[in-house]
Amino acid sequence: MQSNLHVAIIMDGNGRWATGRGLPRIAGHSAGAETLRRIVEAAPDCGIGVLTVYAFSSDNWKRPRLEVEALMALLGCYLENETGRCLASGVKMSIIGRRDRLPESLRASIDRAEGETGQCHLLQLRLAIDYSARDAIVVASNRAASQCAAGAPITRESLEELLVESRPVDILIRTGGEQRLSDFLLWECAYAELIFTNRMWPDFSPFDLQRAIHQYAHRERRFGGIPQAPAESQEHWLR
Ligand code: IPE
Ligand code: IPE
Ligand code: MG
């Protein structure tokens, strides 16, 4: 199995999972945090080296205040509860997204999680919080514009370097049945294999993750080239 894959997950469907059971939406978010714990545990055995998960988008601030507050508290609890476990199992935690709008207590939990797990190497877990791919591209573009010599063009490479911790995504999984990116890793997903599942995030299991990796293994990534074929048959087509 290929190792060191970058898998990105849009963890969607918590609200519908809960309301379908007559529970408040936040119960779905709590169940979703449990799912994340199980998926992180299973990831290294699936050949995943980097796991980037969408926990809170910059557009999610539009949600009712009580849901936003509950989500912030839950993210803080997740970091507090998981830091020790991640440290013990070799998982490096980091956050992508804006930090300046997060509650002070959550920022403290982030600093602690990143500080304590910074030397771990088995798996890199990146939580996207207050994240917007469009904003990340705008920030990188502004940096590029100020760094480039006057009149020098911004190149694909220079922008990629300035996109904080950008790394191409191999597999993008979205749970919850929607088939859209919702402003997640737009640059990094340029050639990602997209896998959409109707499974709500709290029901997504390590087995579903394995199945997604299996699906990926049967896809042919061409990056704009032509199908891989034995040298002789390629010659035949070129004649
Ligand atoms: C994803 O689940 C979690 C966040 C966006 C924070 P949702 O809360 O979007 O769940 P649905 O899509 O409403 O079911
Ligand atoms: C995307 O889900 C954000 C996260 C999963 C954190 P949303 O539920 O916010 O996306 P839309 O509104 O359905 O596009
Ligand atoms: Mg949703």
Side-chain angles (χ1 to χ4, degrees):
M1 188 194 297
Q2 191 185 335
S3 66
N4 213 23
L5 290 170
H6 181 188
V7 173
I9 307 183
I10 301 179
M11 307 184 291
D12 196 25
N14 294 348
R16 280 164 287 161
W17 180 91
T19 50
R21 286 166 172 73
L23 298 168
R25 289 177 58 86
I26 189 64
H29 297 312
S30 298
E34 259 309 295
T35 300
L36 179 59
R37 196 184 57 68
R38 288 193 292 270
I39 294 301
V40 169
E41 207 170 73
D45 285 342
C46 291
I48 299 172
V50 182
L51 181 65
T52 307
V53 296
Y54 210 3
F56 188 89
S57 78
S58 295
D59 287 324
N60 288 149
W61 293 114
K62 292 178 194 158
R63 295 190 177 199
R65 186 176 57 82
L66 284 178
E67 180 167 345
V68 169
E69 283 175 4
L71 278 165
M72 292 296 137
L74 195 60
L75 285 165
C77 284
Y78 179 85
L79 290 169
E80 288 298 324
N81 293 337
E82 295 306 309
T83 297
R85 202 193 308 267
C86 284
L87 181 60
S89 54
V91 178
K92 175 179 172 169
M93 297 168 109
S94 60
I95 269 60
I96 58 169
R98 278 180 72 162
R99 298 181 189 209
D100 57 309
R101 298 189 288 197
L102 302 179
E104 183 57 47
S105 60
L106 178 53
R107 285 209 296 263
S109 303
I110 290 172
D111 288 346
R112 191 175 142 249
E114 288 184 335
E116 289 190 12
T117 65
Q119 301 304 314
C120 294
H121 292 295
L122 181 66
L123 170 73
Q124 199 182 334
L125 170 64
R126 308 194 312 162
L127 294 168
I129 302 177
D130 195 1
Y131 176 84
S132 153
R134 288 169 300 175
D135 286 353
I137 293 169
V138 168
V139 168
S141 309
N142 281 323
R143 280 202 201 121
S146 65
Q147 283 180 17
C148 280
I154 296 170
T155 63
R156 188 188 285 183
E157 290 74 22
S158 67
L159 199 58
E160 190 149 78
E161 219 164 87
L162 289 164
L163 267 170
V164 179
E165 293 189 64
S166 138
R167 182 189 146 151
V169 172
D170 297 304
I171 311 171
L172 181 283
I173 300 170
R174 181 170 186 146
T175 60
E178 312 294 356
Q179 303 196 353
R180 54 179 171 256
L181 294 179
S182 302
D183 206 8
F184 191 43
L185 301 174
L186 300 180
W187 179 284
E188 294 85 345
C189 282
Y191 276 102
E193 293 297 330
L194 308 180
I195 295 181
F196 299 107
T197 164
N198 289 331
R199 191 89 79 215
M200 298 295 143
W201 175 248
D203 288 333
F204 191 78
S205 69
F207 179 68
D208 294 319
L209 179 65
Q210 277 167 12
R211 206 160 37 190
I213 306 282
H214 190 71
Q215 247 177 289
Y216 166 82
H218 285 87
R219 295 205 187 162
E220 186 181 49
R221 302 183 81 188
R222 293 193 288 276
F223 300 98
I226 58 171
Q228 289 271 310
E232 300 152 31
S233 62
Q234 277 187 17
E235 274 166 29
H236 163 80
W237 284 105
L238 290 172
R239 267 201 293 268

